Amino acid sequence: MRGVPSRGFTLVELMVTLALIAILAVMAVPSFRSFIANQQVKTASYDLLAALNFARSEAIKRNQDVTVAAVDDDWVAGWEVTSEDGVLKVWDAPGDLDFGDSPTSFTYLPNGRVSGGLSAAVSVCKSEATRRIVNVDMSGHARLSRSGACSG
């Protein structure tokens, strides 16, 4: 005579499975936090790079000065591209980032060069992430680079 086949899980099997899932989740959280921080820094730096390239293009196209400036002189609040005609585009900075001691604006001349003729950089950072630097050279070209881990 055969017994009735078992259907489903026992309470012990279910508890062991949940315990293993909890242990794996606890181990994964720190690296996931680092991943999110790196993505926020990456997104902000690419958005800033896009804003600078957009501003340079608009300055040449409109044959007038175009400025990329931090909102309220703070990159954390975002940035906007403006010309004599008003605000052309606005970006929000993602997350709680640190922009260090960076210049608060860049003005592109009608020839595509940056006003003042000096190269400058904006550092984008967040704890647990890799620092990214948006460099603007004297000719107005913007480039992105990485520069080690952020402190804090």
Side-chain angles (χ1 to χ4, degrees):
M1 188 162 179
R2 299 174 97 191
V4 177
S6 170
R7 297 181 203 260
F9 300 103
T10 66
L11 182 60
V12 172
E13 290 171 330
L14 184 62
M15 295 305 288
V16 168
T17 303
L18 289 176
L20 288 174
I21 290 172
I23 290 169
L24 290 175
V26 167
M27 290 170 40
V29 166
S31 94
F32 190 64
R33 221 180 338 211
S34 175
F35 172 77
I36 290 173
N38 275 316
Q39 290 304 313
Q40 287 176 331
V41 168
K42 194 177 198 182
T43 299
S45 60
Y46 277 114
D47 283 352
L48 183 56
L49 182 68
L52 291 165
N53 287 330
F54 173 73
R56 184 171 191 261
S57 173
E58 287 296 310
I60 294 168
K61 180 176 88 175
R62 294 169 182 265
N63 197 30
Q64 59 183 240
D65 291 359
V66 176
T67 301
V68 177
V71 173
D72 298 327
D73 291 333
D74 187 6
W75 293 107
V76 174
W79 46 92
E80 59 188 11
V81 177
T82 58
S83 72
E84 296 171 7
D85 302 329
V87 176
L88 302 177
K89 202 164 183 183
V90 177
W91 279 264
D92 293 325
D96 182 26
L97 302 174
D98 178 20
F99 289 86
D101 190 22
S102 302
T104 57
S105 69
F106 296 90
T107 299
Y108 283 94
L109 303 173
N111 64 5
R113 294 183 178 271
V114 177
S115 174
L118 299 173
S119 57
V122 176
S123 171
V124 184
C125 206
K126 184 172 184 166
S127 61
E128 301 178 356
T130 300
R131 179 183 312 278
R132 291 190 179 255
I133 299 179
V134 181
N135 297 295
V136 181
D137 64 22
M138 292 185 291
S139 69
H141 286 96
R143 291 181 180 78
L144 193 59
S145 63
R146 286 192 251 177
S147 175
C150 297
S151 59

